[in-house]
Amino acid sequence: DASHELKTPLTVILSNAELLEGAALPEKPARWSGNIRCEAEQMRTLVEQMLTLARADNGVRPAAMEPVNFSDVATECVLSFEPVAFEAGKPLEDHVAEDVTVTGDRDRLRHLISILLDNAVKYGAPGGTITLTLERTERQARLTVANPGDPIPPEHLAHLFERFYRADASRGEKSGFGLGLAIADTIAWEHKGALKAESDAASTRFTFTIPLRKQDREEHTSELQSHTRISYAVF
C-alpha cells in the first residue's frame, strides 16, 4: 500500500523537475532541478523494487506464464550489457546453448539476468572477463554468470539474497539499495527455480536453475537416448 501511495507523488515530482529543466533556468537553479530529478528517479526505483517484493510476499506470481526461448532472452541481455561492460573495461563473453525453452514470464526472466550481469559489472575485477553460460541438463536449464575478483567471505555469501543486505566495505561503495539480488531470488522462486552464489579465488558465480519446458525436456531426453544407442552401436 505504501509503495502504491508513494508512486503518485514521485511521478508529480519527476514531471515538475523535467518541466523546470526545460525552462532554460540559470545555472544554479538548473543544477538544483537536476538533483531533484536524479534523487526522485532513485526513489522511484526503490519504490518499484519494494513493490515487486511486496507482491511476492503476498504470493502474487506473474500472470503471463508461457513458453519462453530462454536462449534468446539470455542473448538479448548479453547484447544490451556489452556496451556497459566495455565501458567498465570488463569484457563480456557468452556461451549460450540454442533453443533452451522454459515456462515463465519473459520480462521477469530478463530482469533476473540483467540483475546478475549488472552485479558482475559492478563487482568484477578491472579488466576481468565476465562470462554468461546457459546450459541444458536433462531436466533443467542452468544459467551461470561469473566474474573474477576478490572472493566474497563465507559469512557474507550466505546473506547475499537478503533484502537491503550490503557486502563488506572491501567490495567498495556501489550504487543500489541492496535489493537487486533479493528480487532475482524472488523471480527464481516465482519460476519454481533456484538461485545460488559461490565465490572463491577463481571467480564469483551466480547460478540460476529453472525446469525445462516439458516438451523441451522430453525432446532432450529422447536425444540423449538416441545418442546412447548410437554410442553402443559404434562400440
PDB file of all heavy atoms in Angstrom, residues 70-71 74 94-102 113 131-145 196 198 205-212 216 220:
ATOM      1  N   PHE A  70      14.549 -19.308 -23.648  1.00  0.00           N
ATOM      2  CA  PHE A  70      15.467 -18.728 -22.678  1.00  0.00           C
ATOM      3  C   PHE A  70      16.808 -18.381 -23.326  1.00  0.00           C
ATOM      4  O   PHE A  70      17.506 -17.468 -22.878  1.00  0.00           O
ATOM      5  CB  PHE A  70      15.668 -19.713 -21.531  1.00  0.00           C
ATOM      6  CG  PHE A  70      16.171 -19.096 -20.254  1.00  0.00           C
ATOM      7  CD1 PHE A  70      15.846 -17.797 -19.909  1.00  0.00           C
ATOM      8  CD2 PHE A  70      16.973 -19.820 -19.378  1.00  0.00           C
ATOM      9  CE1 PHE A  70      16.301 -17.225 -18.728  1.00  0.00           C
ATOM     10  CE2 PHE A  70      17.432 -19.277 -18.201  1.00  0.00           C
ATOM     11  CZ  PHE A  70      17.101 -17.966 -17.875  1.00  0.00           C
ATOM     12  N   SER A  71      17.161 -19.099 -24.382  1.00  0.00           N
ATOM     13  CA  SER A  71      18.396 -18.797 -25.111  1.00  0.00           C
ATOM     14  C   SER A  71      18.332 -17.394 -25.709  1.00  0.00           C
ATOM     15  O   SER A  71      19.297 -16.617 -25.631  1.00  0.00           O
ATOM     16  CB  SER A  71      18.626 -19.830 -26.216  1.00  0.00           C
ATOM     17  OG  SER A  71      18.683 -21.130 -25.690  1.00  0.00           O
ATOM     18  N   ALA A  74      18.598 -14.737 -22.901  1.00  0.00           N
ATOM     19  CA  ALA A  74      19.973 -14.596 -22.421  1.00  0.00           C
ATOM     20  C   ALA A  74      20.831 -13.823 -23.418  1.00  0.00           C
ATOM     21  O   ALA A  74      21.604 -12.939 -23.038  1.00  0.00           O
ATOM     22  CB  ALA A  74      20.572 -15.977 -22.163  1.00  0.00           C
ATOM     23  N   ASP A  94      29.820 -14.866 -23.810  1.00  0.00           N
ATOM     24  CA  ASP A  94      28.657 -15.717 -23.552  1.00  0.00           C
ATOM     25  C   ASP A  94      28.811 -17.054 -24.263  1.00  0.00           C
ATOM     26  O   ASP A  94      29.416 -17.146 -25.328  1.00  0.00           O
ATOM     27  CB  ASP A  94      27.364 -15.023 -24.005  1.00  0.00           C
ATOM     28  CG  ASP A  94      27.317 -14.829 -25.508  1.00  0.00           C
ATOM     29  OD1 ASP A  94      28.068 -13.977 -26.037  1.00  0.00           O
ATOM     30  OD2 ASP A  94      26.527 -15.525 -26.172  1.00  0.00           O
ATOM     31  N   HIS A  95      28.269 -18.076 -23.615  1.00  0.00           N
ATOM     32  CA  HIS A  95      28.221 -19.424 -24.171  1.00  0.00           C
ATOM     33  C   HIS A  95      26.794 -19.917 -23.941  1.00  0.00           C
ATOM     34  O   HIS A  95      26.462 -20.409 -22.858  1.00  0.00           O
ATOM     35  CB  HIS A  95      29.239 -20.330 -23.471  1.00  0.00           C
ATOM     36  CG  HIS A  95      30.635 -19.769 -23.458  1.00  0.00           C
ATOM     37  ND1 HIS A  95      31.484 -19.835 -24.544  1.00  0.00           N
ATOM     38  CD2 HIS A  95      31.310 -19.097 -22.491  1.00  0.00           C
ATOM     39  CE1 HIS A  95      32.627 -19.256 -24.250  1.00  0.00           C
ATOM     40  NE2 HIS A  95      32.545 -18.784 -23.010  1.00  0.00           N
ATOM     41  N   VAL A  96      25.964 -19.751 -24.951  1.00  0.00           N
ATOM     42  CA  VAL A  96      24.532 -19.994 -24.808  1.00  0.00           C
ATOM     43  C   VAL A  96      24.101 -21.161 -25.677  1.00  0.00           C
ATOM     44  O   VAL A  96      24.236 -21.124 -26.907  1.00  0.00           O
ATOM     45  CB  VAL A  96      23.722 -18.729 -25.181  1.00  0.00           C
ATOM     46  CG1 VAL A  96      22.224 -19.004 -25.093  1.00  0.00           C
ATOM     47  CG2 VAL A  96      24.104 -17.562 -24.274  1.00  0.00           C
ATOM     48  N   ALA A  97      23.582 -22.202 -25.044  1.00  0.00           N
ATOM     49  CA  ALA A  97      23.033 -23.329 -25.796  1.00  0.00           C
ATOM     50  C   ALA A  97      21.796 -22.863 -26.562  1.00  0.00           C
ATOM     51  O   ALA A  97      21.046 -21.997 -26.097  1.00  0.00           O
ATOM     52  CB  ALA A  97      22.670 -24.463 -24.844  1.00  0.00           C
ATOM     53  N   GLU A  98      21.571 -23.427 -27.727  1.00  0.00           N
ATOM     54  CA  GLU A  98      20.467 -22.995 -28.579  1.00  0.00           C
ATOM     55  C   GLU A  98      19.132 -23.601 -28.140  1.00  0.00           C
ATOM     56  O   GLU A  98      19.070 -24.727 -27.645  1.00  0.00           O
ATOM     57  CB  GLU A  98      20.742 -23.372 -30.039  1.00  0.00           C
ATOM     58  CG  GLU A  98      21.936 -22.657 -30.643  1.00  0.00           C
ATOM     59  CD  GLU A  98      22.134 -23.017 -32.107  1.00  0.00           C
ATOM     60  OE1 GLU A  98      21.378 -23.896 -32.604  1.00  0.00           O
ATOM     61  OE2 GLU A  98      23.026 -22.446 -32.749  1.00  0.00           O
ATOM     62  N   ASP A  99      18.089 -22.814 -28.337  1.00  0.00           N
ATOM     63  CA  ASP A  99      16.703 -23.282 -28.181  1.00  0.00           C
ATOM     64  C   ASP A  99      16.421 -23.961 -26.842  1.00  0.00           C
ATOM     65  O   ASP A  99      15.795 -25.021 -26.784  1.00  0.00           O
ATOM     66  CB  ASP A  99      16.344 -24.237 -29.323  1.00  0.00           C
ATOM     67  CG  ASP A  99      16.392 -23.551 -30.678  1.00  0.00           C
ATOM     68  OD1 ASP A  99      16.016 -22.364 -30.745  1.00  0.00           O
ATOM     69  OD2 ASP A  99      16.816 -24.185 -31.660  1.00  0.00           O
ATOM     70  N   VAL A 100      16.875 -23.336 -25.775  1.00  0.00           N
ATOM     71  CA  VAL A 100      16.523 -23.809 -24.437  1.00  0.00           C
ATOM     72  C   VAL A 100      15.182 -23.170 -24.074  1.00  0.00           C
ATOM     73  O   VAL A 100      15.085 -21.942 -23.949  1.00  0.00           O
ATOM     74  CB  VAL A 100      17.594 -23.423 -23.398  1.00  0.00           C
ATOM     75  CG1 VAL A 100      17.166 -23.869 -22.004  1.00  0.00           C
ATOM     76  CG2 VAL A 100      18.941 -24.036 -23.769  1.00  0.00           C
ATOM     77  N   THR A 101      14.155 -23.989 -23.917  1.00  0.00           N
ATOM     78  CA  THR A 101      12.805 -23.475 -23.693  1.00  0.00           C
ATOM     79  C   THR A 101      12.343 -23.758 -22.269  1.00  0.00           C
ATOM     80  O   THR A 101      12.466 -24.878 -21.784  1.00  0.00           O
ATOM     81  CB  THR A 101      11.812 -24.103 -24.689  1.00  0.00           C
ATOM     82  OG1 THR A 101      12.289 -23.925 -26.020  1.00  0.00           O
ATOM     83  CG2 THR A 101      10.440 -23.455 -24.564  1.00  0.00           C
ATOM     84  N   VAL A 102      11.818 -22.728 -21.626  1.00  0.00           N
ATOM     85  CA  VAL A 102      11.276 -22.863 -20.270  1.00  0.00           C
ATOM     86  C   VAL A 102       9.874 -22.266 -20.257  1.00  0.00           C
ATOM     87  O   VAL A 102       9.434 -21.655 -21.230  1.00  0.00           O
ATOM     88  CB  VAL A 102      12.174 -22.144 -19.235  1.00  0.00           C
ATOM     89  CG1 VAL A 102      13.577 -22.727 -19.229  1.00  0.00           C
ATOM     90  CG2 VAL A 102      12.216 -20.628 -19.496  1.00  0.00           C
ATOM     91  N   ILE A 113      18.285 -11.942 -15.263  1.00  0.00           N
ATOM     92  CA  ILE A 113      19.600 -11.985 -15.910  1.00  0.00           C
ATOM     93  C   ILE A 113      20.272 -10.623 -15.857  1.00  0.00           C
ATOM     94  O   ILE A 113      21.484 -10.513 -15.608  1.00  0.00           O
ATOM     95  CB  ILE A 113      19.480 -12.474 -17.364  1.00  0.00           C
ATOM     96  CG1 ILE A 113      18.890 -13.884 -17.410  1.00  0.00           C
ATOM     97  CG2 ILE A 113      20.838 -12.459 -18.049  1.00  0.00           C
ATOM     98  CD1 ILE A 113      18.587 -14.379 -18.811  1.00  0.00           C
ATOM     99  N   THR A 131      31.560 -13.774 -17.700  1.00  0.00           N
ATOM    100  CA  THR A 131      31.082 -14.860 -18.552  1.00  0.00           C
ATOM    101  C   THR A 131      29.653 -15.248 -18.198  1.00  0.00           C
ATOM    102  O   THR A 131      29.338 -15.461 -17.024  1.00  0.00           O
ATOM    103  CB  THR A 131      31.977 -16.107 -18.400  1.00  0.00           C
ATOM    104  OG1 THR A 131      33.336 -15.742 -18.640  1.00  0.00           O
ATOM    105  CG2 THR A 131      31.566 -17.186 -19.393  1.00  0.00           C
ATOM    106  N   LEU A 132      28.806 -15.305 -19.211  1.00  0.00           N
ATOM    107  CA  LEU A 132      27.447 -15.832 -19.044  1.00  0.00           C
ATOM    108  C   LEU A 132      27.359 -17.150 -19.796  1.00  0.00           C
ATOM    109  O   LEU A 132      27.693 -17.223 -20.983  1.00  0.00           O
ATOM    110  CB  LEU A 132      26.409 -14.850 -19.563  1.00  0.00           C
ATOM    111  CG  LEU A 132      24.943 -15.305 -19.435  1.00  0.00           C
ATOM    112  CD1 LEU A 132      24.022 -14.109 -19.187  1.00  0.00           C
ATOM    113  CD2 LEU A 132      24.468 -16.052 -20.692  1.00  0.00           C
ATOM    114  N   THR A 133      26.908 -18.195 -19.100  1.00  0.00           N
ATOM    115  CA  THR A 133      26.780 -19.522 -19.698  1.00  0.00           C
ATOM    116  C   THR A 133      25.362 -20.044 -19.490  1.00  0.00           C
ATOM    117  O   THR A 133      24.838 -19.982 -18.378  1.00  0.00           O
ATOM    118  CB  THR A 133      27.780 -20.509 -19.058  1.00  0.00           C
ATOM    119  OG1 THR A 133      29.106 -19.983 -19.173  1.00  0.00           O
ATOM    120  CG2 THR A 133      27.715 -21.868 -19.748  1.00  0.00           C
ATOM    121  N   LEU A 134      24.755 -20.531 -20.557  1.00  0.00           N
ATOM    122  CA  LEU A 134      23.449 -21.174 -20.457  1.00  0.00           C
ATOM    123  C   LEU A 134      23.577 -22.593 -20.991  1.00  0.00           C
ATOM    124  O   LEU A 134      23.967 -22.805 -22.144  1.00  0.00           O
ATOM    125  CB  LEU A 134      22.383 -20.408 -21.247  1.00  0.00           C
ATOM    126  CG  LEU A 134      20.990 -21.057 -21.277  1.00  0.00           C
ATOM    127  CD1 LEU A 134      20.414 -21.187 -19.874  1.00  0.00           C
ATOM    128  CD2 LEU A 134      20.035 -20.267 -22.173  1.00  0.00           C
ATOM    129  N   GLU A 135      23.256 -23.564 -20.122  1.00  0.00           N
ATOM    130  CA  GLU A 135      23.355 -24.977 -20.484  1.00  0.00           C
ATOM    131  C   GLU A 135      22.002 -25.654 -20.306  1.00  0.00           C
ATOM    132  O   GLU A 135      21.181 -25.208 -19.516  1.00  0.00           O
ATOM    133  CB  GLU A 135      24.390 -25.687 -19.605  1.00  0.00           C
ATOM    134  CG  GLU A 135      25.762 -25.042 -19.606  1.00  0.00           C
ATOM    135  CD  GLU A 135      26.639 -25.580 -18.497  1.00  0.00           C
ATOM    136  OE1 GLU A 135      26.380 -25.237 -17.325  1.00  0.00           O
ATOM    137  OE2 GLU A 135      27.577 -26.340 -18.804  1.00  0.00           O
ATOM    138  N   ARG A 136      21.823 -26.757 -21.013  1.00  0.00           N
ATOM    139  CA  ARG A 136      20.630 -27.580 -20.861  1.00  0.00           C
ATOM    140  C   ARG A 136      21.057 -28.899 -20.228  1.00  0.00           C
ATOM    141  O   ARG A 136      21.892 -29.621 -20.773  1.00  0.00           O
ATOM    142  CB  ARG A 136      19.975 -27.832 -22.220  1.00  0.00           C
ATOM    143  CG  ARG A 136      18.710 -28.675 -22.142  1.00  0.00           C
ATOM    144  CD  ARG A 136      18.301 -29.211 -23.491  1.00  0.00           C
ATOM    145  NE  ARG A 136      17.744 -28.189 -24.370  1.00  0.00           N
ATOM    146  CZ  ARG A 136      18.372 -27.686 -25.427  1.00  0.00           C
ATOM    147  NH1 ARG A 136      19.601 -28.098 -25.728  1.00  0.00           N
ATOM    148  NH2 ARG A 136      17.812 -26.774 -26.194  1.00  0.00           N
ATOM    149  N   THR A 137      20.508 -29.201 -19.066  1.00  0.00           N
ATOM    150  CA  THR A 137      20.738 -30.501 -18.456  1.00  0.00           C
ATOM    151  C   THR A 137      19.544 -31.389 -18.802  1.00  0.00           C
ATOM    152  O   THR A 137      18.682 -31.002 -19.603  1.00  0.00           O
ATOM    153  CB  THR A 137      20.907 -30.392 -16.933  1.00  0.00           C
ATOM    154  OG1 THR A 137      19.660 -29.963 -16.347  1.00  0.00           O
ATOM    155  CG2 THR A 137      22.000 -29.391 -16.575  1.00  0.00           C
ATOM    156  N   GLU A 138      19.453 -32.558 -18.171  1.00  0.00           N
ATOM    157  CA  GLU A 138      18.370 -33.477 -18.517  1.00  0.00           C
ATOM    158  C   GLU A 138      16.997 -32.899 -18.206  1.00  0.00           C
ATOM    159  O   GLU A 138      16.046 -33.083 -18.963  1.00  0.00           O
ATOM    160  CB  GLU A 138      18.550 -34.797 -17.761  1.00  0.00           C
ATOM    161  CG  GLU A 138      17.527 -35.845 -18.152  1.00  0.00           C
ATOM    162  CD  GLU A 138      17.775 -37.178 -17.471  1.00  0.00           C
ATOM    163  OE1 GLU A 138      18.853 -37.347 -16.870  1.00  0.00           O
ATOM    164  OE2 GLU A 138      16.882 -38.043 -17.530  1.00  0.00           O
ATOM    165  N   ARG A 139      16.891 -32.151 -17.091  1.00  0.00           N
ATOM    166  CA  ARG A 139      15.577 -31.657 -16.676  1.00  0.00           C
ATOM    167  C   ARG A 139      15.541 -30.145 -16.457  1.00  0.00           C
ATOM    168  O   ARG A 139      14.477 -29.590 -16.210  1.00  0.00           O
ATOM    169  CB  ARG A 139      15.138 -32.345 -15.381  1.00  0.00           C
ATOM    170  CG  ARG A 139      15.088 -33.860 -15.466  1.00  0.00           C
ATOM    171  CD  ARG A 139      14.574 -34.479 -14.185  1.00  0.00           C
ATOM    172  NE  ARG A 139      13.186 -34.121 -13.926  1.00  0.00           N
ATOM    173  CZ  ARG A 139      12.139 -34.756 -14.452  1.00  0.00           C
ATOM    174  NH1 ARG A 139      12.319 -35.777 -15.265  1.00  0.00           N
ATOM    175  NH2 ARG A 139      10.906 -34.385 -14.162  1.00  0.00           N
ATOM    176  N   GLN A 140      16.686 -29.488 -16.522  1.00  0.00           N
ATOM    177  CA  GLN A 140      16.747 -28.079 -16.176  1.00  0.00           C
ATOM    178  C   GLN A 140      17.557 -27.267 -17.180  1.00  0.00           C
ATOM    179  O   GLN A 140      18.393 -27.799 -17.905  1.00  0.00           O
ATOM    180  CB  GLN A 140      17.385 -27.902 -14.792  1.00  0.00           C
ATOM    181  CG  GLN A 140      16.584 -28.475 -13.641  1.00  0.00           C
ATOM    182  CD  GLN A 140      17.309 -28.274 -12.327  1.00  0.00           C
ATOM    183  OE1 GLN A 140      18.529 -28.419 -12.242  1.00  0.00           O
ATOM    184  NE2 GLN A 140      16.563 -27.905 -11.287  1.00  0.00           N
ATOM    185  N   ALA A 141      17.281 -25.968 -17.175  1.00  0.00           N
ATOM    186  CA  ALA A 141      18.165 -25.002 -17.814  1.00  0.00           C
ATOM    187  C   ALA A 141      19.017 -24.406 -16.700  1.00  0.00           C
ATOM    188  O   ALA A 141      18.505 -24.096 -15.622  1.00  0.00           O
ATOM    189  CB  ALA A 141      17.354 -23.912 -18.505  1.00  0.00           C
ATOM    190  N   ARG A 142      20.308 -24.275 -16.961  1.00  0.00           N
ATOM    191  CA  ARG A 142      21.212 -23.749 -15.934  1.00  0.00           C
ATOM    192  C   ARG A 142      21.974 -22.555 -16.499  1.00  0.00           C
ATOM    193  O   ARG A 142      22.750 -22.681 -17.441  1.00  0.00           O
ATOM    194  CB  ARG A 142      22.187 -24.823 -15.467  1.00  0.00           C
ATOM    195  CG  ARG A 142      23.137 -24.341 -14.358  1.00  0.00           C
ATOM    196  CD  ARG A 142      23.907 -25.498 -13.760  1.00  0.00           C
ATOM    197  NE  ARG A 142      24.710 -26.178 -14.763  1.00  0.00           N
ATOM    198  CZ  ARG A 142      24.873 -27.505 -14.808  1.00  0.00           C
ATOM    199  NH1 ARG A 142      24.278 -28.287 -13.929  1.00  0.00           N
ATOM    200  NH2 ARG A 142      25.635 -28.057 -15.748  1.00  0.00           N
ATOM    201  N   LEU A 143      21.730 -21.383 -15.903  1.00  0.00           N
ATOM    202  CA  LEU A 143      22.385 -20.157 -16.337  1.00  0.00           C
ATOM    203  C   LEU A 143      23.366 -19.706 -15.258  1.00  0.00           C
ATOM    204  O   LEU A 143      23.000 -19.600 -14.081  1.00  0.00           O
ATOM    205  CB  LEU A 143      21.349 -19.060 -16.601  1.00  0.00           C
ATOM    206  CG  LEU A 143      21.933 -17.723 -17.077  1.00  0.00           C
ATOM    207  CD1 LEU A 143      21.118 -17.178 -18.248  1.00  0.00           C
ATOM    208  CD2 LEU A 143      21.964 -16.685 -15.962  1.00  0.00           C
ATOM    209  N   THR A 144      24.609 -19.436 -15.653  1.00  0.00           N
ATOM    210  CA  THR A 144      25.635 -19.016 -14.706  1.00  0.00           C
ATOM    211  C   THR A 144      26.275 -17.717 -15.183  1.00  0.00           C
ATOM    212  O   THR A 144      26.648 -17.596 -16.356  1.00  0.00           O
ATOM    213  CB  THR A 144      26.728 -20.094 -14.556  1.00  0.00           C
ATOM    214  OG1 THR A 144      26.130 -21.317 -14.144  1.00  0.00           O
ATOM    215  CG2 THR A 144      27.772 -19.665 -13.534  1.00  0.00           C
ATOM    216  N   VAL A 145      26.384 -16.753 -14.288  1.00  0.00           N
ATOM    217  CA  VAL A 145      27.107 -15.513 -14.557  1.00  0.00           C
ATOM    218  C   VAL A 145      28.300 -15.486 -13.613  1.00  0.00           C
ATOM    219  O   VAL A 145      28.132 -15.562 -12.388  1.00  0.00           O
ATOM    220  CB  VAL A 145      26.221 -14.274 -14.345  1.00  0.00           C
ATOM    221  CG1 VAL A 145      27.045 -12.998 -14.516  1.00  0.00           C
ATOM    222  CG2 VAL A 145      25.051 -14.277 -15.327  1.00  0.00           C
ATOM    223  N   LYS A 196      21.683 -19.604  -6.613  1.00  0.00           N
ATOM    224  CA  LYS A 196      22.699 -19.772  -5.576  1.00  0.00           C
ATOM    225  C   LYS A 196      23.958 -19.009  -5.951  1.00  0.00           C
ATOM    226  O   LYS A 196      24.194 -18.685  -7.126  1.00  0.00           O
ATOM    227  CB  LYS A 196      23.019 -21.261  -5.366  1.00  0.00           C
ATOM    228  CG  LYS A 196      23.756 -21.912  -6.517  1.00  0.00           C
ATOM    229  CD  LYS A 196      24.154 -23.351  -6.162  1.00  0.00           C
ATOM    230  CE  LYS A 196      24.964 -23.998  -7.290  1.00  0.00           C
ATOM    231  NZ  LYS A 196      25.408 -25.358  -6.937  1.00  0.00           N
ATOM    232  N   GLU A 198      28.277 -18.714  -5.373  1.00  0.00           N
ATOM    233  CA  GLU A 198      29.528 -19.357  -4.977  1.00  0.00           C
ATOM    234  C   GLU A 198      30.653 -18.361  -5.229  1.00  0.00           C
ATOM    235  O   GLU A 198      30.586 -17.558  -6.167  1.00  0.00           O
ATOM    236  CB  GLU A 198      29.782 -20.625  -5.783  1.00  0.00           C
ATOM    237  CG  GLU A 198      28.708 -21.700  -5.641  1.00  0.00           C
ATOM    238  CD  GLU A 198      28.938 -22.854  -6.597  1.00  0.00           C
ATOM    239  OE1 GLU A 198      28.944 -22.599  -7.818  1.00  0.00           O
ATOM    240  OE2 GLU A 198      29.117 -23.980  -6.118  1.00  0.00           O
ATOM    241  N   ARG A 205      30.371 -16.657  -8.703  1.00  0.00           N
ATOM    242  CA  ARG A 205      29.426 -17.231  -9.657  1.00  0.00           C
ATOM    243  C   ARG A 205      28.015 -17.240  -9.082  1.00  0.00           C
ATOM    244  O   ARG A 205      27.806 -17.680  -7.945  1.00  0.00           O
ATOM    245  CB  ARG A 205      29.841 -18.668 -10.013  1.00  0.00           C
ATOM    246  CG  ARG A 205      31.227 -18.765 -10.610  1.00  0.00           C
ATOM    247  CD  ARG A 205      31.704 -20.202 -10.713  1.00  0.00           C
ATOM    248  NE  ARG A 205      31.816 -20.861  -9.413  1.00  0.00           N
ATOM    249  CZ  ARG A 205      32.810 -20.684  -8.558  1.00  0.00           C
ATOM    250  NH1 ARG A 205      33.781 -19.828  -8.831  1.00  0.00           N
ATOM    251  NH2 ARG A 205      32.841 -21.342  -7.409  1.00  0.00           N
ATOM    252  N   PHE A 206      27.078 -16.765  -9.881  1.00  0.00           N
ATOM    253  CA  PHE A 206      25.661 -16.861  -9.539  1.00  0.00           C
ATOM    254  C   PHE A 206      25.023 -17.812 -10.546  1.00  0.00           C
ATOM    255  O   PHE A 206      25.130 -17.606 -11.760  1.00  0.00           O
ATOM    256  CB  PHE A 206      24.983 -15.493  -9.593  1.00  0.00           C
ATOM    257  CG  PHE A 206      25.369 -14.591  -8.459  1.00  0.00           C
ATOM    258  CD1 PHE A 206      26.472 -13.749  -8.573  1.00  0.00           C
ATOM    259  CD2 PHE A 206      24.654 -14.588  -7.272  1.00  0.00           C
ATOM    260  CE1 PHE A 206      26.839 -12.925  -7.524  1.00  0.00           C
ATOM    261  CE2 PHE A 206      25.015 -13.766  -6.217  1.00  0.00           C
ATOM    262  CZ  PHE A 206      26.114 -12.937  -6.345  1.00  0.00           C
ATOM    263  N   THR A 207      24.376 -18.852 -10.036  1.00  0.00           N
ATOM    264  CA  THR A 207      23.784 -19.878 -10.901  1.00  0.00           C
ATOM    265  C   THR A 207      22.283 -19.956 -10.674  1.00  0.00           C
ATOM    266  O   THR A 207      21.819 -20.127  -9.548  1.00  0.00           O
ATOM    267  CB  THR A 207      24.425 -21.253 -10.628  1.00  0.00           C
ATOM    268  OG1 THR A 207      25.833 -21.167 -10.849  1.00  0.00           O
ATOM    269  CG2 THR A 207      23.832 -22.308 -11.558  1.00  0.00           C
ATOM    270  N   PHE A 208      21.546 -19.822 -11.775  1.00  0.00           N
ATOM    271  CA  PHE A 208      20.086 -19.903 -11.750  1.00  0.00           C
ATOM    272  C   PHE A 208      19.662 -21.153 -12.497  1.00  0.00           C
ATOM    273  O   PHE A 208      20.029 -21.354 -13.656  1.00  0.00           O
ATOM    274  CB  PHE A 208      19.493 -18.662 -12.420  1.00  0.00           C
ATOM    275  CG  PHE A 208      18.014 -18.747 -12.704  1.00  0.00           C
ATOM    276  CD1 PHE A 208      17.106 -19.056 -11.706  1.00  0.00           C
ATOM    277  CD2 PHE A 208      17.527 -18.504 -13.989  1.00  0.00           C
ATOM    278  CE1 PHE A 208      15.735 -19.140 -11.966  1.00  0.00           C
ATOM    279  CE2 PHE A 208      16.176 -18.566 -14.260  1.00  0.00           C
ATOM    280  CZ  PHE A 208      15.274 -18.893 -13.244  1.00  0.00           C
ATOM    281  N   THR A 209      18.909 -22.018 -11.826  1.00  0.00           N
ATOM    282  CA  THR A 209      18.364 -23.209 -12.475  1.00  0.00           C
ATOM    283  C   THR A 209      16.849 -23.107 -12.522  1.00  0.00           C
ATOM    284  O   THR A 209      16.218 -22.635 -11.579  1.00  0.00           O
ATOM    285  CB  THR A 209      18.770 -24.497 -11.731  1.00  0.00           C
ATOM    286  OG1 THR A 209      18.411 -24.383 -10.344  1.00  0.00           O
ATOM    287  CG2 THR A 209      20.267 -24.745 -11.843  1.00  0.00           C
ATOM    288  N   ILE A 210      16.273 -23.540 -13.638  1.00  0.00           N
ATOM    289  CA  ILE A 210      14.834 -23.480 -13.844  1.00  0.00           C
ATOM    290  C   ILE A 210      14.429 -24.726 -14.627  1.00  0.00           C
ATOM    291  O   ILE A 210      15.161 -25.160 -15.528  1.00  0.00           O
ATOM    292  CB  ILE A 210      14.441 -22.183 -14.605  1.00  0.00           C
ATOM    293  CG1 ILE A 210      12.930 -22.139 -14.882  1.00  0.00           C
ATOM    294  CG2 ILE A 210      15.223 -22.049 -15.898  1.00  0.00           C
ATOM    295  CD1 ILE A 210      12.477 -20.821 -15.518  1.00  0.00           C
ATOM    296  N   PRO A 211      13.277 -25.326 -14.300  1.00  0.00           N
ATOM    297  CA  PRO A 211      12.859 -26.522 -15.043  1.00  0.00           C
ATOM    298  C   PRO A 211      12.682 -26.229 -16.524  1.00  0.00           C
ATOM    299  O   PRO A 211      12.187 -25.165 -16.911  1.00  0.00           O
ATOM    300  CB  PRO A 211      11.515 -26.886 -14.395  1.00  0.00           C
ATOM    301  CG  PRO A 211      11.563 -26.264 -13.039  1.00  0.00           C
ATOM    302  CD  PRO A 211      12.352 -25.000 -13.200  1.00  0.00           C
ATOM    303  N   LEU A 212      13.121 -27.169 -17.346  1.00  0.00           N
ATOM    304  CA  LEU A 212      12.861 -27.053 -18.767  1.00  0.00           C
ATOM    305  C   LEU A 212      11.360 -27.188 -19.019  1.00  0.00           C
ATOM    306  O   LEU A 212      10.647 -27.839 -18.246  1.00  0.00           O
ATOM    307  CB  LEU A 212      13.582 -28.157 -19.540  1.00  0.00           C
ATOM    308  CG  LEU A 212      15.110 -28.062 -19.649  1.00  0.00           C
ATOM    309  CD1 LEU A 212      15.650 -29.353 -20.253  1.00  0.00           C
ATOM    310  CD2 LEU A 212      15.520 -26.864 -20.503  1.00  0.00           C
ATOM    311  N   ASP A 216      10.390 -29.585 -24.172  1.00  0.00           N
ATOM    312  CA  ASP A 216      11.828 -29.479 -24.395  1.00  0.00           C
ATOM    313  C   ASP A 216      12.563 -30.567 -23.618  1.00  0.00           C
ATOM    314  O   ASP A 216      13.518 -31.171 -24.095  1.00  0.00           O
ATOM    315  CB  ASP A 216      12.316 -28.087 -23.962  1.00  0.00           C
ATOM    316  CG  ASP A 216      13.715 -27.778 -24.474  1.00  0.00           C
ATOM    317  OD1 ASP A 216      14.173 -28.476 -25.384  1.00  0.00           O
ATOM    318  OD2 ASP A 216      14.342 -26.846 -23.955  1.00  0.00           O
ATOM    319  N   HIS A 220      14.856 -33.475 -25.221  1.00  0.00           N
ATOM    320  CA  HIS A 220      16.254 -33.622 -24.814  1.00  0.00           C
ATOM    321  C   HIS A 220      16.522 -35.048 -24.344  1.00  0.00           C
ATOM    322  O   HIS A 220      17.546 -35.650 -24.678  1.00  0.00           O
ATOM    323  CB  HIS A 220      16.571 -32.625 -23.695  1.00  0.00           C
ATOM    324  CG  HIS A 220      17.991 -32.681 -23.222  1.00  0.00           C
ATOM    325  ND1 HIS A 220      19.061 -32.455 -24.047  1.00  0.00           N
ATOM    326  CD2 HIS A 220      18.512 -32.950 -21.986  1.00  0.00           C
ATOM    327  CE1 HIS A 220      20.185 -32.572 -23.363  1.00  0.00           C
ATOM    328  NE2 HIS A 220      19.888 -32.877 -22.117  1.00  0.00           N
TER     329      HIS A 220
END
